[in-house]
Amino acid sequence: MEFPSSTFLKSSSPSSINGQIIDSLCESNGVSKLKIPEVKFTKLFINGQFVDSVSGKTFGTRDPRTGDVVAEVAEGDKEDVDIAVKAAREAFDHGKWPRMSGFDRGRVILKFADLIEQHGEEIAMLESINSGKLVHLTKESDIQFATNCLRYFAGAADKIHGETLKCTGEFQAYTLKEPVGVVGHIIPWNFPTVLFAAKAAPTLATGCTMIFKPAEQSPLSILYLAYLAKEAGIPDGVINVITGYGPTAGAAISSHMDVDAVSFTGSTEVGKLVMGAAAASNLKTVSLELGGKCPLVIFNDVDINMAVQTAWQAVFFNKGEVCIAGSRIYVQEGIYDEFLKKVTDNVKDWVVGDPFDPQVHQGPQVDKEQFDKVLRYIESGKREGATLLTGGKAIGEKGYYIEPTIFTDVKEDMLIAQDEIFGPVMSIMKFKTIEEAIEKANNTKYGLAAGILTNDLNTANRVSRSIRAGGIWVNCYMITESGIPFGGYKMSGFGMDSGLQALEKYLKVKSVITPIYNSPWL
């Protein structure tokens, strides 16, 4: 997805709008009112129907703007996963989806994309009241990415084929690429619709069936997408959604004997549990897109204003709840002081507040747990001796809002330089030489992405080849598209979630060997 360019709007101070309801925000800021959508779907989606959990249990999903419960959602666990897997197994083993031509599957996927586009505003608002994402940006970016992703893989559905192989002797061979079967998808709360599409689109294109486990913080948009999938004509049992918790529903999917593959996006710690459960059960195929602590390396020769804007968005976009956030900023010594001044000046134009207001740049953290975690890391940075340039505090008395926070004098071994904070916290460090920049950039257990800002082609080439990360942006950041492979090195996981390479996770290769004519072997 290509995120909007950095712009800083003049507006009221963050504290004057934090925690207020949308009507008063609209009245005070002259913004056209948005009607918060009714929460229509709160049950599990199994075999084309919305159903209660077997236990009858529910859990409250909260609005991070206030901390209040906005809906009670069915809490699925192992029994519900068993039912969903049985439906997906039946749809795969005997249903029409895997047996349709790729062209016909593509047509249905295209209709699904059209429906998401038509209902984009409602989906964006559901994500906002569930995860604190900016409504206007979610509609412009996330919905667009999701529809583009589905359309991209719809076009790939009839182009999945094997190869003809040359054999020695009197034989010929060819390969078939067949759908792997039933796939479990476990996705996080920071980009629900984007990650649903990134996983569902290639899975659908290959002819697989699936069970989704959305994060308990943000299930509402995924349930709505399941409804749209049925409306698009995707057969019952092909897409199932089990809302619930990781240790119960997520673990049941990972360890299920009738799930053939599992794709997980989330923390490295939970990724290890998913991989262990998969190995301990049936050695199912596993793909993991895990944490990141991405470096953004800024060289002396770059335009300082562009560098500041890029760094700011690399860290504070989506309130820092981004796995590819460039939260480690390395600035070459020649522009270091000027960079500190200019990046700190951006604070006065950055508005933290209600994500329904288009004048706002940063909404609340997703929930109380994440809110508290970010504040603990800020305290850790101060305690370990980093210099707090700006921010560092919660905003208001209601909701999970945190000031954009910038540290300098950060040391490589500090927690704020090593751990994935997943919040609006920037750590700035100085370097002298290219060699030092490369060494510092690689000084992490992660390897998801990195950014390089320079006008020197030789520098760009050398550093991009030297940093061990799955994606490198040169003179830009967070530019992603459906056709660009996305995945990590080291403890950021393995397997691609975009590009044609994403199809391979949901395919098995079969070799077929036959004699050219009557063989003495027969």
Side-chain angles (χ1 to χ4, degrees), residues 29 65 85-86 125 131 154 227 277 343 348 384 435 473-474 513 518:
N29 291 317
R65 300 177 304 162
V85 171
K86 184 177 180 180
M125 288 190 283
S131 61
Y227 161 75
V343 78
K348 67 178 182 296
E384 291 186 326
E435 293 77 13
W473 289 288
V474 177
I513 305 98
N518 289 336

Side-chain angles (χ1 to χ4, degrees), residues 305-320:
N305 292 319
M306 183 274 279
V308 167
Q309 298 289 337
T310 302
W312 190 274
Q313 286 288 12
V315 178
F316 298 121
F317 175 78
N318 201 50
K319 37 353 190 293

Side-chain angles (χ1 to χ4, degrees), residues 265-318:
T265 296
S267 71
T268 297
E269 292 71 27
V270 177
K272 291 179 180 179
L273 297 176
V274 169
M275 192 169 182
S281 56
N282 60 349
L283 288 175
K284 59 177 63 67
T285 301
V286 177
S287 60
L288 303 173
E289 194 268 280
L290 305 176
K293 189 67 176 176
C294 305
L296 176 62
V297 183
I298 303 173
F299 287 90
N300 285 334
D301 62 349
V302 77
D303 178 84
I304 189 71
N305 292 319
M306 183 274 279
V308 167
Q309 298 289 337
T310 302
W312 190 274
Q313 286 288 12
V315 178
F316 298 121
F317 175 78
N318 201 50

Side-chain angles (χ1 to χ4, degrees), residues 22-224:
I22 188 63
D23 284 356
S24 62
L25 277 170
C26 294
E27 290 168 4
S28 64
N29 291 317
V31 179
S32 60
K33 292 184 180 181
L34 289 171
K35 183 180 179 182
I36 297 176
E38 175 190 358
V39 179
K40 300 174 184 176
F41 307 111
T42 58
K43 298 183 178 184
L44 311 179
F45 186 77
I46 301 176
N47 205 24
Q49 304 296 322
F50 285 100
V51 297
D52 291 321
S53 62
V54 172
S55 68
K57 292 190 295 185
T58 63
F59 64 93
T61 185
R62 296 179 181 273
D63 183 344
R65 300 177 304 162
T66 62
D68 298 335
V69 172
V70 293
E72 289 290 331
V73 178
E75 182 184 335
D77 53 28
K78 184 180 184 302
E79 289 182 281
D80 304 289
V81 170
D82 287 341
I83 297 169
V85 171
K86 184 177 180 180
R89 187 86 261 163
E90 177 68 20
F92 182 76
D93 290 342
H94 305 291
K96 63 181 181 180
W97 187 253
R99 291 158 186 83
M100 292 171 64
S101 70
F103 177 79
D104 288 335
R105 283 200 302 271
R107 290 177 65 181
V108 178
I109 298 170
L110 288 173
K111 185 175 180 182
F112 188 22
D114 290 342
L115 287 172
I116 293 174
E117 191 168 63
Q118 291 168 24
H119 295 272
E121 185 168 285
E122 190 167 0
I123 296 168
M125 288 190 283
L126 285 171
E127 294 214 345
S128 183
I129 62 172
N130 236 191
S131 61
K133 295 172 66 66
L134 302 183
V135 173
H136 67 283
L137 206 54
T138 301
K139 185 179 178 183
E140 294 167 5
S141 299
D142 297 37
I143 302 303
Q144 182 185 34
F145 180 91
T147 55
N148 287 348
C149 184
L150 286 162
R151 288 165 181 155
Y152 176 86
F153 285 103
D158 61 352
K159 300 169 184 67
I160 298 169
H161 54 78
E163 299 176 312
T164 301
L165 306 175
K166 184 178 180 180
C167 295
T168 58
E170 300 169 345
F171 297 89
Q172 64 178 0
Y174 61 90
T175 60
L176 298 172
K177 289 188 177 181
E178 300 180 337
V180 68
V182 176
V183 181
H185 292 302
I186 304 172
I187 60 175
W189 36 259
N190 57 335
F191 289 94
T193 295
V194 165
L195 289 165
F196 175 92
K199 295 185 185 296
T203 313
L204 289 169
T206 57
C208 293
T209 61
M210 68 204 81
I211 301 96
F212 268 94
K213 209 297 282 184
E216 59 269 23
Q217 295 91 341
S218 56
L220 298 181
S221 58
I222 305 303
L223 291 169
Y224 193 92

Side-chain angles (χ1 to χ4, degrees), residues 4 30 79 93 98 143 172 197 215 229 242-243 276 291 305 331 336 440 446 490 505 518 521:
E79 289 182 281
D93 290 342
I143 302 303
Q172 64 178 0
I242 302 294
T243 51
N305 292 319
V331 184
Y336 183 81
K440 289 178 179 292
Y446 299 111
K490 299 191 282 187
K505 298 190 297 186
N518 289 336
W521 292 93

